[in-house]
Structures are given as C-alpha cells and as structure tokens.
Amino acid sequence: MPTIDLSNITDFVVNEGHGVKGLSEIGLQKLPKQYIQPIEERITTNTVILDDQIPIIDMSNWDIHNKFVSEKICNAAEKWGFFQIINHDISLEVLESVKDATYRFFKQPAVEKNKHSKENSSTNNVRYGTSFTPKAEKALEWKDYLSLFYVSDEEAAALWPCALRDEALEFMRNSEIVMKKLLQALMKGLNVKEIDESVLMGSKRINVNYYPKCPNPELTVGVGRHSDVSTLTILLQDNIGGLYVKKLDSDMWVHVPPIHGALVINIGDALQIMSNGRYKSIEHRVIANGNNNRISVPIFVNPKPSDVIGPLKEVLESGEEPIYKQVLYSDYVKHFFRKAHDGKDTVDFAKIN
C-alpha cells in the first residue's frame, strides 16, 4: 500500500500516477479538500427530473425502416442532443471485451500506467491522466482516464498499451459502421446530398474512463458540466449509471440509465456548428459513486485538426443567417482543453458576435 502525504495529494495523484484509483484504494474516509466542488456544481435531488428520459432508438431493420429510424435520430438530435441506440449490430462480445480491457489497464501498477502520462509518454496521441485539466481546475474531478488518438493501426500497434490495444481497436472498427449510418441520417435531415466523411469523421479518439468508489460522493463530481467538441460521440457505459444530461432550455438534469448492450450517442459541438444550431450539443456530467467503481468508453468522431468548420452551405441555402463563424478545428479544441469544464461556454468561441 503506497504511503501518502495528505497535504500534497496532487503529487501522489497526478505526478506519481496513482490517480484517484490510488486514493480510493488506500481507504480514505473523507473526501480530500482538493475534490470538493462548489455547491452550484453538484447535482441535487432538486435539479433532477425522475420521470423523463432521453430517446431510445431501435436500429434493427435499418434498411427496411430507414426513413422512420432516420426521422427519430434527427428529432432526438434537435430536441435532446442525446439518445440511446439498441440492436446496432455491434456484438455484446466486442462490448464486454473492451470493458474487461479497461479494467485490465487500470488494475496495473501506477508506475506502469504513468509511462503514458503527459510528462512520460513518447507521443501526444497516448495520454494517461486524472481529472480533466488539473492545472486549470479550482476543484479536481474524481476520474482517471487513458486517451488514445487514432492515426493508424500501425501506430496503435506500436504505441497503444497492450493491456487494451486490440479490444479498443476492435470497438472502434465496429463502431465506424454505426457512426456512418447515424451521420447519413443526420446529414439527410439537413438536406446534405453529398456527405464529406473526411470532415465529419476525419479523426477519431477513444478514451477509457475509470471512476473509483468515492468517500462523500455528494461533494464532488466524476466529470463536470461540459459538452463534447466532437461531431458525434458514441459511449459504452457499464451497468452502474451516473451519467446525467441537461434538458434543453432548462436547468434540470435527466439520468441516462444503463441498458444492457445499448450505446449512448450524443451530438458534439462540431455538428452543432455545422448544422447552424439545429442539432444540439448538450451539457452532460457524471456523478461520483460511494458504493461502486464505474467505467465508460467513449469514442469521439471529429473533424481533422486542420479542417475549418462552420455552418454547412446546404443549411444556409434557404436564407438562414449563420450563427457561427468559420473556425479552425484545432483552435477550437485547444480552447476547450486549456480550461476547466465550464458547461457550454466553449461553443461561444465559434459564435458570430
């Protein structure tokens, strides 16, 4: 069992690579002050809607019921920005394998995981860390993660940790077909005839997240309020729960209950910008849990860093005024990652003043 100086938790968690998993496993009875979030950043029963949920869309018989399913997808993207999909043709075996691999990676000793930290990794495309942006945050988030930017199978074979490399790649390969179907439906809803996949899904990143058991979970967060910078995000969550989505045009939150074999889909900022605000990239957050460890595996499908994004010409053909300017995608992403999670503030970076 590692020893820890409670007055210098950041060194233990961040610099030595133990993460919050290391904190959880030494049996802390009280949440360290560095993780106590301001009251306004905590979810309470007063801010949760219990009798509502994001749409659940059945993807079976896609070829037969394409129009009907497409309309459901576009409607969910406009009104919720989030939905779950079932019968999506990614096998349970693939999903369970990547969850097992996630646990396998995080079970490794800190010294092994820390080889992939910002300070130690041989590449920016593989990054192990904790919280979100510890140097910019007033209060830390109760989460460890490994983030893998996909360039090629060859690079992944050389640089991704062997504890989960094959399973992560297999999940990515299988999810690509689903992503293309979803984007096909969403582009049709915008009257886009020719889909430029290189812009919509020119780059991909897969994260594996670990949320260990937490003392005083009501005082902190697993992930703070934010929207994703992606085009689309496809999320595999385990059976623990804890993901909350903000209901459009309200200050209330809705839980996304785990459904065995389902995947959670959400619209990212890039698609909100390209759709000129028709599709909504919605704030979401994860609560901490006092009884169980939780994992999740999101895949972020994004424009390429060198792409300039803005409202699509087909969206503006009817005379609709653009809400967003043209922005270099890498500038947008850098703006997101240099600060703490702050709800929907990032998208203002692209707004026309």
Side-chain angles (χ1 to χ4, degrees):
M1 187 77 70
T3 55
I4 174 172
D5 175 4
L6 287 175
S7 66
N8 195 6
I9 275 178
T10 308
D11 196 49
F12 176 84
V13 171
V14 180
N15 301 335
E16 294 177 21
H18 292 281
V20 282
K21 182 174 185 288
L23 272 187
S24 176
E25 288 173 351
I26 62 173
L28 287 180
Q29 299 301 305
K30 186 178 173 186
L31 185 74
K33 67 179 187 303
Q34 292 90 336
Y35 290 89
I36 297 177
Q37 294 283 335
I39 289 171
E40 63 273 14
E41 294 301 332
R42 305 176 205 164
I43 280 192
T44 65
T45 50
N46 297 332
T47 57
V48 172
I49 303 171
L50 296 174
D51 59 351
D52 210 347
Q53 66 174 11
I54 65 171
I56 298 166
I57 298 175
D58 189 341
M59 298 279 285
S60 60
N61 300 317
W62 170 266
D63 296 328
I64 301 168
H65 302 300
N66 185 306
K67 186 172 184 295
F68 176 68
V69 178
S70 292
E71 284 173 0
K72 281 190 162 186
I73 290 166
C74 294
N75 193 48
E78 289 181 30
K79 295 184 177 168
W80 280 96
F82 265 81
F83 51 96
Q84 298 205 62
I85 56 172
I86 57 173
N87 299 319
H88 42 64
D89 284 345
I90 302 178
S91 73
L92 276 175
E93 183 184 0
V94 168
L95 303 183
E96 293 304 317
S97 291
V98 77
K99 285 195 278 189
D100 290 345
T102 298
Y103 273 111
R104 190 161 60 241
F105 173 79
F106 284 106
K107 274 180 184 169
Q108 296 178 113
V111 67
E112 194 62 35
K113 291 180 288 191
N114 212 30
K115 289 176 182 175
H116 307 289
S117 70
K118 183 177 181 179
E119 290 70 28
N120 300 324
S121 181
S122 61
T123 170
N124 284 331
N125 294 340
V126 178
R127 179 68 48 80
Y128 165 69
T130 190
S131 193
F132 178 63
T133 311
K135 289 180 180 172
E137 292 167 317
K138 290 176 182 169
L140 297 172
E141 300 176 352
W142 195 261
K143 179 191 84 168
D144 299 331
Y145 67 88
L146 177 73
S147 184
L148 303 164
F149 184 82
Y150 178 80
V151 174
S152 67
D153 283 5
E154 292 72 28
E155 183 184 279
L159 299 175
W160 289 16
C162 60
L164 49 56
R165 177 182 58 228
D166 294 345
E167 293 82 1
L169 282 170
E170 190 64 18
F171 180 36
M172 285 187 79
R173 286 188 201 106
N174 280 264
S175 70
E176 190 160 337
I177 301 157
V178 177
M179 283 295 194
K180 285 181 179 178
K181 284 181 177 178
L182 293 170
L183 286 169
Q184 178 190 330
L186 290 162
M187 289 301 103
K188 196 172 180 182
L190 298 175
N191 296 315
V192 174
K193 305 285 191 295
E194 291 184 25
I195 298 171
D196 188 347
E197 283 183 4
S198 69
V199 173
L200 292 170
M201 47 193 304
S203 70
K204 293 189 270 302
R205 180 184 296 278
I206 182 167
N207 283 13
V208 292
N209 300 321
Y210 189 88
Y211 306 89
K213 285 192 296 191
C214 177
N216 313 115
E218 71 285 354
L219 300 180
T220 191
V221 295
V223 176
R225 299 177 301 114
H226 71 288
S227 60
D228 294 345
V229 294
S230 57
T231 304
L232 278 184
T233 303
I234 183 165
L235 173 78
L236 171 64
Q237 58 173 346
D238 64 11
N239 64 346
I240 301 301
L243 171 64
Y244 284 80
V245 170
K246 196 170 189 183
K247 189 161 186 185
L248 192 63
D249 300 326
S250 83
D251 289 320
M252 302 299 283
W253 296 84
V254 176
H255 186 232
V256 180
I259 298 171
H260 186 57
L263 294 165
V264 181
I265 308 294
N266 64 280
I267 306 300
D269 291 355
L271 189 51
Q272 177 170 319
I273 291 165
M274 287 189 266
S275 70
N276 205 37
R278 190 177 308 177
Y279 298 146
K280 308 299 191 297
S281 176
I282 295 293
E283 276 182 65
H284 50 288
R285 67 206 307 186
V286 175
I287 63 167
N289 190 302
N291 300 311
N292 298 288
N293 303 318
R294 176 182 184 266
I295 57 165
S296 67
V297 186
I299 297 173
F300 305 98
V301 175
N302 319 296
K304 295 187 298 295
S306 58
D307 284 332
V308 174
I309 62 167
L312 296 166
K313 67 179 190 302
E314 291 88 347
V315 177
L316 302 178
E317 273 174 356
S318 62
E320 190 175 312
E321 288 293 321
I323 301 170
Y324 303 104
K325 58 192 175 188
Q326 303 285 321
V327 293
L328 181 66
Y329 187 64
S330 60
D331 286 348
Y332 189 84
V333 172
K334 282 175 194 165
H335 179 67
F336 176 72
F337 279 106
R338 71 167 60 106
K339 58 190 175 53
H341 281 141
D342 54 7
K344 284 289 294 174
D345 286 358
T346 306
V347 82
D348 290 341
F349 180 77
K351 272 192 172 171
I352 294 173
N353 297 323

